[in-house]
Amino acid sequence: MATVSRSIGGLAVSAIGLGEWPLSDTGRPGRSAAIATIRAALEAGVTLIDTADAYCTDHTEFGHGEELVAEAVGGRDDVLVASKAGCTRQHGSWGLDGSPEYLRRACDASLRRLGVEAIGLYQLHAPDPSVPLSESAGALGELMDAGKIRMVGMSNVDTSQIREANEALGGRLASVQNEFSPRVRTSLPELELCERLGIAFLPYSPLGGVGAANRLGGAFAEVGERHGVSPQQVCLAWELALSPVVIPIPGSRRPSTIRDSAAAMRLRLSEEDLNTLDKE
Ligand SMILES: NC(=O)c1ccc[n+]([C@@H]2O[C@H](COP(=O)([O-])OP(=O)(O)OC[C@H]3O[C@@H](n4cnc5c(N)ncnc54)[C@H](OP(=O)(O)O)[C@@H]3O)[C@@H](O)[C@H]2O)c1
């Protein structure tokens, strides 16, 4: 099926990506079912897969998500694999380490797991309050200069952090990944700043998150009925309509849900649809 493209740092990627997290953390499907879900995404025209070294159940299997993606993607060079560093999973709990030494080590480990010479998009998972953001971003900039990363992104950042990171990177910040969905719209100022700066904005948990995605109803269901599509597809198309820099990355545990989500690339909402959704 035809892929509708958007851009990250000048590189064309599908307008809908796949968020890999639910395939690696608690409640995940078996390995072959997880691989089948990623391959279903690729077959549906998805060319952006978002993962992280911390997508696993605990430190004993750190990097689970990256290894899974590497196996499923199989070295295809038309697919942008986006990973992240800066979060730890000691005994399953989430921690932060944004120190340059940690990020350099994490990058080498991710390169090995992904089996690539350079990581397509490498994102700081979240700022570490004990490390100046300019130092974390600067370390990622140096990794880019060394050819280990092609593009740098930031996640869980506010508008001043976006400006600070972009400055530390000499204006080369390619993407911002923040939570954004009909339920959680607090990152609208960050989305608008990204549009002004020409930075891709990747809404995470774009359907409201695992456990909430199937509760999308109301106006999303009403517009879905008009088009004969799911409320989730309408939700993703609504996010795409907010700005040309938006690239949602819905998570999936099953081929059928990512196939349905990927079709949102081609769903065009009318003014009437958008007015209906505005009232939600
Ligand atoms: N940077 C960060 O700090 C951060 C934090 C959270 C998430 N993320 C990223 O964002 C990605 C997406 O977020 P998320 O997984 O938390 O939440 P989400 O995408 O809002 O929701 C995922 C859930 O939506 C369901 N779903 C997906 N497409 C559907 C469809 N078309 N119809 C019905 N249900 C559908 C999936 O169901 P099934 O499981 O049944 O397939 C899955 O359980 C993550 O995978 C991760 O890559 C990043």
Side-chain angles (χ1 to χ4, degrees):
M1 241 183 285
T3 293
V4 177
S5 299
R6 294 216 162 169
S7 161
I8 302 182
L11 181 77
V13 295
S14 55
I16 299 287
L18 170 68
E20 187 278 325
W21 183 28
L23 299 174
S24 284
D25 214 327
T26 312
R28 69 192 183 202
R31 194 167 184 91
S32 59
I35 300 258
T37 298
I38 298 172
R39 295 212 170 127
L42 302 178
E43 280 157 24
V46 169
T47 61
L48 167 66
I49 314 282
D50 178 74
T51 184
D53 56 6
Y55 289 172
C56 57
T57 55
D58 67 22
H59 63 284
T60 61
E61 54 161 37
F62 202 67
H64 177 279
E66 292 180 327
E67 286 171 0
L68 192 73
V69 171
E71 185 180 340
V73 171
R76 268 180 60 169
D77 58 10
D78 60 336
V79 176
L80 177 65
V81 174
S83 195
K84 309 184 198 79
C87 279
T88 57
R89 295 301 305 274
Q90 278 307 312
H91 305 289
S93 59
W94 289 87
L96 292 172
D97 193 338
S99 64
E101 312 76 64
Y102 176 83
L103 294 175
R104 282 193 286 270
R105 278 202 312 278
C107 180
D108 285 338
S110 289
L111 283 167
R112 272 195 303 279
R113 286 189 291 258
L114 291 169
V116 293
E117 279 174 19
I119 300 170
L121 174 64
Y122 202 47
Q123 306 155 99
L124 183 69
H125 208 141
D128 177 348
S130 68
V131 179
L133 182 59
S134 57
E135 283 185 21
S136 303
L140 298 186
E142 285 168 17
L143 289 169
M144 187 159 46
D145 294 337
K148 293 184 175 189
I149 302 175
R150 297 225 159 84
M151 294 185 285
V152 174
M154 291 285 138
S155 183
N156 296 299
V157 279
D158 62 25
T159 52
S160 66
Q161 291 169 325
I162 292 172
R163 290 187 194 283
E164 186 181 350
N166 197 30
E167 196 168 311
L169 288 160
R172 297 180 294 172
L173 180 61
S175 66
V176 166
Q177 182 180 141
N178 278 5
E179 183 168 13
F180 188 85
S181 67
R183 195 168 66 86
V184 180
R185 303 182 192 202
T186 42
S187 269
L188 205 49
E190 286 74 29
L191 189 165
E192 287 165 356
L193 177 62
C194 284
E195 181 174 290
R196 283 201 296 283
L197 297 176
I199 293 170
F201 182 88
L202 282 46
Y204 80 64
S205 302
L207 299 171
V210 173
N214 58 5
R215 292 204 292 273
L216 266 173
F220 291 91
E222 186 186 328
V223 172
E225 273 170 33
R226 271 183 217 159
H227 290 269
V229 301
S230 67
Q232 290 79 12
Q233 224 182 96
V234 174
C235 170
L236 297 168
W238 167 75
E239 288 164 11
L240 287 171
L242 290 175
S243 165
V245 298
V246 168
I247 306 173
I249 48 166
S252 273
R253 293 191 175 117
R254 296 174 292 145
S256 59
T257 47
I258 186 56
R259 275 189 209 112
D260 186 63
S261 293
M265 287 189 246
R266 292 174 291 276
L267 177 62
R268 292 283 163 271
L269 298 175
S270 65
E271 282 303 313
E272 186 195 354
D273 295 333
L274 293 171
N275 288 338
T276 307
L277 297 171
D278 277 348
K279 291 183 203 120
E280 182 73 11

